[in-house]
Coordinates of all heavy atoms in Angstrom, one line a residue:
Q1 N -21.0 -0.8 52.6 CA -20.8 -0.7 54.0 C -19.4 -1.4 54.4 O -18.8 -2.0 53.6 CB -21.9 -1.4 54.8 CG -23.3 -0.8 54.5 CD -23.4 0.7 54.9 OE1 -22.8 1.1 55.9 NE2 -24.2 1.4 54.1
S2 N -19.1 -1.2 55.7 CA -17.7 -1.6 56.1 C -17.6 -3.1 56.1 O -16.5 -3.6 55.8 CB -17.5 -1.1 57.6 OG -18.5 -1.6 58.4
E3 N -18.6 -3.9 56.3 CA -18.5 -5.3 56.3 C -18.9 -5.9 54.9 O -18.9 -7.2 54.8 CB -19.4 -5.9 57.3 CG -20.9 -5.7 57.1 CD -21.8 -6.4 58.1 OE1 -21.2 -7.0 59.0 OE2 -23.0 -6.3 58.0
E4 N -19.1 -5.1 53.9 CA -19.5 -5.6 52.6 C -18.4 -5.4 51.6 O -17.4 -4.7 51.8 CB -20.8 -4.8 52.1 CG -22.0 -5.0 53.0 CD -23.1 -4.1 52.6 OE1 -22.9 -3.2 51.8 OE2 -24.3 -4.4 53.0
Q5 N -18.6 -6.0 50.4 CA -17.8 -5.8 49.2 C -18.7 -5.7 48.0 O -19.6 -6.5 47.8 CB -16.8 -7.0 49.1 CG -15.8 -6.7 48.0 CD -14.8 -7.9 47.9 OE1 -15.2 -9.0 47.9 NE2 -13.5 -7.6 47.8
G6 N -18.4 -4.7 47.2 CA -19.2 -4.5 46.0 C -18.8 -5.4 44.8 O -17.6 -5.3 44.5
I7 N -19.6 -6.2 44.3 CA -19.4 -7.0 43.1 C -20.1 -6.4 41.9 O -21.4 -6.5 41.9 CB -19.7 -8.5 43.3 CG1 -19.0 -9.0 44.6 CG2 -19.4 -9.3 42.1 CD1 -17.5 -9.0 44.5
V8 N -19.4 -5.9 40.9 CA -20.0 -5.2 39.8 C -20.2 -6.2 38.7 O -19.2 -6.9 38.3 CB -19.1 -4.0 39.4 CG1 -19.8 -3.3 38.2 CG2 -18.9 -3.0 40.5
L9 N -21.4 -6.2 38.1 CA -21.8 -7.1 37.0 C -22.1 -6.3 35.8 O -22.9 -5.3 35.9 CB -22.9 -8.0 37.4 CG -22.8 -8.8 38.7 CD1 -24.1 -9.6 38.9 CD2 -21.6 -9.7 38.7
R10 N -21.6 -6.6 34.7 CA -21.9 -6.0 33.4 C -22.7 -6.9 32.5 O -22.1 -7.9 32.1 CB -20.7 -5.5 32.7 CG -20.9 -4.7 31.4 CD -19.6 -4.2 30.9 NE -19.0 -3.2 31.8 CZ -17.8 -2.8 31.8 NH1 -17.0 -3.2 30.8 NH2 -17.3 -1.9 32.6
F11 N -24.0 -6.6 32.4 CA -24.9 -7.6 31.7 C -24.8 -9.0 32.3 O -24.8 -10.0 31.6 CB -24.6 -7.6 30.2 CG -24.7 -6.3 29.5 CD1 -23.6 -5.6 29.0 CD2 -26.0 -5.7 29.4 CE1 -23.8 -4.4 28.4 CE2 -26.1 -4.5 28.7 CZ -25.0 -3.8 28.3
G12 N -24.7 -9.0 33.7 CA -24.7 -10.3 34.4 C -23.4 -10.9 34.5 O -23.3 -12.0 35.2
K13 N -22.3 -10.4 34.0 CA -21.0 -11.0 34.0 C -20.1 -10.1 35.0 O -20.1 -8.9 35.0 CB -20.3 -11.0 32.7 CG -18.9 -11.6 32.7 CD -18.3 -11.6 31.3 CE -16.9 -12.2 31.3 NZ -16.3 -12.2 29.9
Y14 N -19.3 -10.9 35.9 CA -18.5 -10.2 36.8 C -17.4 -9.5 36.1 O -16.7 -10.0 35.3 CB -17.9 -11.2 37.8 CG -16.8 -10.7 38.7 CD1 -17.1 -9.8 39.7 CD2 -15.5 -11.0 38.4 CE1 -16.0 -9.3 40.5 CE2 -14.4 -10.6 39.2 CZ -14.7 -9.7 40.3 OH -13.7 -9.2 41.0
V15 N -17.2 -8.2 36.5 CA -16.1 -7.4 35.9 C -15.2 -6.8 36.9 O -14.0 -6.6 36.6 CB -16.7 -6.2 35.0 CG1 -17.4 -6.8 33.8 CG2 -17.7 -5.4 35.8
S16 N -15.6 -6.4 38.1 CA -14.7 -5.8 39.1 C -15.4 -5.9 40.5 O -16.6 -6.3 40.6 CB -14.4 -4.4 38.7 OG -15.6 -3.6 38.8
H17 N -14.6 -5.5 41.5 CA -15.2 -5.4 42.8 C -14.8 -4.0 43.4 O -13.8 -3.4 42.9 CB -14.6 -6.5 43.7 CG -13.2 -6.4 44.0 ND1 -12.2 -6.9 43.1 CD2 -12.5 -5.9 45.1 CE1 -11.0 -6.7 43.6 NE2 -11.2 -6.1 44.8
S18 N -15.5 -3.6 44.4 CA -15.3 -2.3 45.0 C -15.2 -2.4 46.5 O -15.8 -3.3 47.1 CB -16.4 -1.3 44.6 OG -17.7 -1.9 45.0
D19 N -14.4 -1.5 47.1 CA -14.2 -1.5 48.5 C -15.2 -0.6 49.2 O -16.0 0.1 48.6 CB -12.8 -0.9 48.8 CG -11.7 -1.8 48.2 OD1 -11.9 -3.0 48.2 OD2 -10.6 -1.2 47.8
P20 N -15.3 -0.7 50.6 CA -16.3 0.1 51.3 C -16.2 1.5 51.0 O -15.1 2.1 50.9 CB -16.0 -0.3 52.8 CG -15.4 -1.6 52.7 CD -14.6 -1.7 51.5
G21 N -17.3 2.2 51.0 CA -17.4 3.6 50.7 C -18.3 3.9 49.5 O -19.1 3.1 49.1
L22 N -18.3 5.2 49.0 CA -19.2 5.6 47.9 C -18.5 5.2 46.6 O -17.3 5.6 46.3 CB -19.4 7.1 48.0 CG -20.4 7.6 46.9 CD1 -21.8 7.0 47.1 CD2 -20.5 9.2 47.0
N23 N -19.2 4.5 45.7 CA -18.7 4.0 44.5 C -19.7 4.3 43.3 O -20.8 4.7 43.6 CB -18.3 2.5 44.5 CG -17.3 2.2 45.6 OD1 -16.1 2.2 45.3 ND2 -17.7 1.9 46.8
Y24 N -19.2 4.0 42.1 CA -20.1 4.3 41.0 C -19.9 3.1 39.9 O -18.8 2.6 39.8 CB -19.7 5.6 40.3 CG -20.6 5.9 39.1 CD1 -21.8 6.5 39.3 CD2 -20.1 5.7 37.8 CE1 -22.6 6.8 38.2 CE2 -20.9 6.0 36.7 CZ -22.2 6.6 36.9 OH -23.0 6.9 35.9
H25 N -21.0 2.8 39.3 CA -21.0 1.8 38.2 C -22.0 2.4 37.2 O -22.8 3.2 37.4 CB -21.5 0.4 38.7 CG -22.9 0.4 39.2 ND1 -24.0 0.2 38.3 CD2 -23.4 0.4 40.4 CE1 -25.1 0.2 38.9 NE2 -24.8 0.3 40.2
L26 N -21.8 1.8 36.0 CA -22.7 2.3 34.9 C -24.2 1.9 35.3 O -24.4 0.9 35.8 CB -22.3 1.6 33.6 CG -20.9 1.9 33.1 CD1 -20.7 1.1 31.8 CD2 -20.8 3.4 32.8
P27 N -25.1 2.8 34.9 CA -26.5 2.7 35.4 C -27.1 1.4 34.9 O -26.7 0.8 33.9 CB -27.2 3.9 34.9 CG -26.1 4.9 34.7 CD -24.9 4.1 34.2
Y28 N -28.1 1.0 35.6 CA -28.9 -0.2 35.1 C -29.6 0.1 33.8 O -30.0 1.3 33.6 CB -30.0 -0.5 36.2 CG -30.9 -1.6 35.9 CD1 -30.5 -2.9 36.2 CD2 -32.1 -1.4 35.3 CE1 -31.4 -4.0 35.9 CE2 -33.0 -2.4 35.0 CZ -32.6 -3.7 35.3 OH -33.4 -4.8 34.9
P29 N -29.7 -0.8 32.9 CA -29.4 -2.2 33.0 C -28.0 -2.6 32.5 O -27.8 -3.8 32.3 CB -30.5 -2.8 32.1 CG -30.6 -1.8 31.0 CD -30.4 -0.5 31.6
I30 N -27.1 -1.6 32.3 CA -25.8 -2.0 31.8 C -25.0 -2.7 32.9 O -24.4 -3.8 32.7 CB -25.0 -0.7 31.3 CG1 -25.8 0.0 30.2 CG2 -23.6 -1.1 30.9 CD1 -25.2 1.3 29.8
E31 N -24.9 -2.1 34.1 CA -24.2 -2.7 35.2 C -25.1 -2.7 36.4 O -25.9 -1.8 36.6 CB -22.9 -2.0 35.5 CG -21.8 -2.1 34.4 CD -20.5 -1.4 34.8 OE1 -20.5 -0.7 35.8 OE2 -19.5 -1.7 34.1
T32 N -24.9 -3.8 37.2 CA -25.5 -3.9 38.5 C -24.5 -4.2 39.5 O -23.4 -4.6 39.2 CB -26.6 -5.0 38.5 OG1 -26.0 -6.2 38.1 CG2 -27.8 -4.6 37.5
V33 N -24.8 -4.2 40.8 CA -23.9 -4.4 41.9 C -24.6 -5.3 42.9 O -25.8 -5.2 43.2 CB -23.4 -3.1 42.5 CG1 -24.6 -2.4 43.2 CG2 -22.3 -3.4 43.5
L34 N -23.8 -6.3 43.4 CA -24.2 -7.1 44.5 C -23.3 -6.8 45.7 O -22.1 -6.5 45.6 CB -24.0 -8.6 44.1 CG -24.8 -9.1 42.9 CD1 -24.5 -10.5 42.6 CD2 -26.3 -8.9 43.2
L35 N -23.9 -6.9 46.9 CA -23.2 -6.5 48.1 C -23.2 -7.6 49.2 O -23.9 -7.6 50.2 CB -23.9 -5.2 48.7 CG -23.9 -4.0 47.8 CD1 -24.8 -2.9 48.5 CD2 -22.5 -3.5 47.5
P36 N -22.3 -8.6 49.0 CA -22.2 -9.7 50.0 C -21.5 -9.2 51.2 O -20.5 -8.4 51.1 CB -21.5 -10.8 49.2 CG -20.6 -10.1 48.2 CD -21.5 -8.9 47.8
K37 N -21.8 -9.7 52.4 CA -21.2 -9.4 53.6 C -20.0 -10.3 53.8 O -20.1 -11.3 54.4 CB -22.2 -9.5 54.8 CG -23.4 -8.5 54.6 CD -24.3 -8.6 55.8 CE -25.5 -7.7 55.6 NZ -25.2 -6.3 55.4
V38 N -18.8 -9.8 53.4 CA -17.6 -10.6 53.4 C -17.0 -10.7 54.8 O -16.2 -11.6 55.0 CB -16.6 -10.1 52.4 CG1 -17.1 -10.2 51.0 CG2 -16.2 -8.7 52.7
L39 N -17.3 -9.8 55.7 CA -16.6 -9.8 57.0 C -17.5 -10.4 58.1 O -17.1 -10.5 59.2 CB -16.2 -8.4 57.4 CG -15.2 -7.7 56.5 CD1 -14.8 -6.3 57.1 CD2 -13.9 -8.6 56.4
R40 N -18.7 -10.8 57.7 CA -19.7 -11.3 58.7 C -19.4 -12.8 58.9 O -19.3 -13.6 58.0 CB -21.1 -11.1 58.3 CG -22.1 -11.6 59.4 CD -23.5 -11.3 58.9 NE -23.8 -12.1 57.7 CZ -25.0 -12.1 57.1 NH1 -25.9 -11.2 57.5 NH2 -25.2 -12.8 56.0
V41 N -19.2 -13.2 60.2 CA -18.9 -14.6 60.6 C -20.2 -15.3 60.9 O -21.0 -14.8 61.8 CB -18.0 -14.7 61.8 CG1 -17.7 -16.2 62.1 CG2 -16.6 -14.0 61.5
S42 N -20.5 -16.3 60.1 CA -21.8 -17.0 60.3 C -21.6 -18.3 61.1 O -20.5 -18.9 61.0 CB -22.4 -17.4 58.9 OG -22.6 -16.3 58.1

C-alpha cells in the first residue's frame, strides 16, 4: 500500500525492500514479506 514498505526476508534474513504497488517474491517458505507502515505518524 501507499503508506507501507515491503521488507523481503529469505529464510528469515533481510534481503531487499519493495516500493508501493504490485511486487513479487519467491514463494513461501523460501521468502516472506513484512509490510510496516513507514508513512504513518504515531
Side-chain angles (χ1 to χ4, degrees):
Q1 301 297 329
S2 59
E3 64 175 2
E4 298 175 341
Q5 186 179 48
I7 304 299
V8 180
L9 307 179
R10 183 174 298 165
F11 299 111
K13 181 181 179 181
Y14 167 73
V15 291
S16 64
H17 67 277
S18 56
D19 298 327
L22 184 62
N23 298 272
Y24 182 80
H25 67 83
L26 296 179
Y28 180 85
I30 300 175
E31 289 183 352
T32 57
V33 64
L34 300 176
L35 301 173
K37 299 183 181 299
V38 296
L39 297 182
R40 185 179 63 183
V41 178
S42 301

